[in-house]
Amino acid sequence: NASSAGVGGIHYYSDDLGARASRASHGEQLIRSALASDGVLCFLQPIVSVREGGRVTAFEALMRLKDGDDIAMPGAFIEAAESTGLIHQLSQRLIDKALQILVDPAFTHRFGRDFVININLSRHQLKDVMLVDEMMALIHRHGADPRRVNLEITESAILAEPAIALRNLVRLREHGISIALDDFGSGYSSLSQLCELPLDCIKIDRRFVMDLEREPRKRHVMTSMIDLCRRLEFRVVVEGVEESATLKTVCDMGAEQIQGFIYARPMPFLDVLDRLGATLSPILPPPRAAG
Ligand code: C2E
Ligand code: MG
Ligand code: MG
Ligand code: MG
């Protein structure tokens, strides 16, 4: 615990800060041992086109770190990865694995030659002047088609260094890579970004989808967001759909693509091949016990 009594009993660190610091150093240890032991894992979660009968059109690559026999989730290490700069090395590993999947014969046999891989970029990467060259070098090394790569960014990541970030996005798109605005509708994302940023796709955040049925205002905003995105000719992905009632609601609103536990959870490469077909049906929750 970083909490320490200072002059006159003043505590220089709050418990909260202490807890955060120790979580960060645990995260850093996790990262260093994962990097040293090929422990950076690429989990995949399908993105499904409801308009095309549940066809899997894309996978989001989601990072996990091996932690002994456990698997660490991004919540345990992304913050530390960003603050230490280790996100670069982690992301290189993840992107390498994600691109391997894109050209994997078993995958293209199952999901076709045009499915897309979505990769998250952090603010550190977005403001890196080497981003585009490094990305293109990896893509070429795998013989992958840049048009099948979709990079997910957040508005706050752009704000760190807007001029460089914007320049990177423009250049990535010139190479045929598409850009998705992640977590839209939560945090600080604003409508002006929809006009100003070079974007292809909008991902509407999970927090926004929660309690949609019970909150009429959320429903109106959601309907308008989907409508707006479609008028602006962005692809729209609704994230975090867990329940069939929500699925029906957002489909009625015009949502075309869905990512959520209702179709599949993020899973390792081999599980995808074992468990997922080229088209998916919603996984209905088990019926509630009577009484
Ligand atoms: P994100 O990019 O918004 O990713 C979606 C998150 O929502 C994932 O969490 C996914 O498991 C979760 N999710 C998807 N469908 C549902 C659902 O129906 N219900 C619920 N409750 N959750 C759902 P995950 O994998 O824990 O990732 C969290 C965040 O960590 C990501 O949010 C992303 O910001 C970050 N992240 C993950 N992988 C990477 C990476 O390779 N690089 C960077 N920079 N960030 C990453
Ligand atoms: Mg994402
Ligand atoms: Mg998201
Ligand atoms: Mg998120």
Side-chain angles (χ1 to χ4, degrees), residues 16-134:
D16 186 46
L17 267 177
R20 216 187 293 168
S22 86
R23 196 165 63 234
S25 69
H26 174 69
E28 187 174 343
Q29 280 167 27
L30 253 172
I31 295 164
R32 293 197 186 279
S33 74
L35 285 171
S37 65
D38 194 25
V40 182
L41 310 177
C42 176
F43 274 39
L44 302 164
Q45 187 182 28
I47 297 172
V48 169
S49 167
V50 282
R51 285 295 151 86
E52 297 171 70
R55 186 170 77 88
V56 175
T57 56
F59 291 93
E60 180 168 4
L62 293 160
M63 194 186 293
R64 304 287 184 262
L65 298 184
K66 231 187 264 175
D67 179 16
D69 290 336
D70 289 337
I71 287 178
M73 303 291 287
F77 61 82
I78 287 286
E79 233 181 86
E82 298 231 8
S83 64
T84 55
L86 290 167
I87 188 72
H88 270 280
Q89 290 172 62
L90 286 180
S91 196
Q92 290 281 110
R93 302 276 182 95
L94 179 108
I95 294 169
D96 193 56
K97 293 190 169 168
L99 294 173
Q100 221 166 295
I101 288 158
L102 205 54
V103 296
D104 182 86
F107 254 69
T108 50
H109 183 257
R110 174 84 49 88
F111 300 103
R113 296 191 169 280
D114 57 358
F115 77 84
V116 168
I117 199 97
N118 284 30
I119 297 168
N120 294 284
L121 287 188
S122 71
R123 63 189 144 83
H124 258 85
Q125 295 166 287
L126 212 53
K127 67 178 185 191
D128 182 351
V129 290
M130 294 305 293
L131 171 70
V132 181
D133 292 343
E134 285 180 4

Side-chain angles (χ1 to χ4, degrees), residues 60-62 118-121 152-154 182-183 203 239 259:
E60 180 168 4
L62 293 160
N118 284 30
I119 297 168
N120 294 284
L121 287 188
E152 301 192 3
I153 59 162
T154 59
D182 203 354
D183 300 345
K203 298 187 77 175
E239 272 194 301
Q259 178 180 355

Side-chain angles (χ1 to χ4, degrees), residues 143-158:
D145 180 350
R147 288 168 302 184
R148 295 176 59 206
V149 176
N150 189 196
L151 298 180
E152 301 192 3
I153 59 162
T154 59
E155 185 173 23
S156 56
I158 295 163

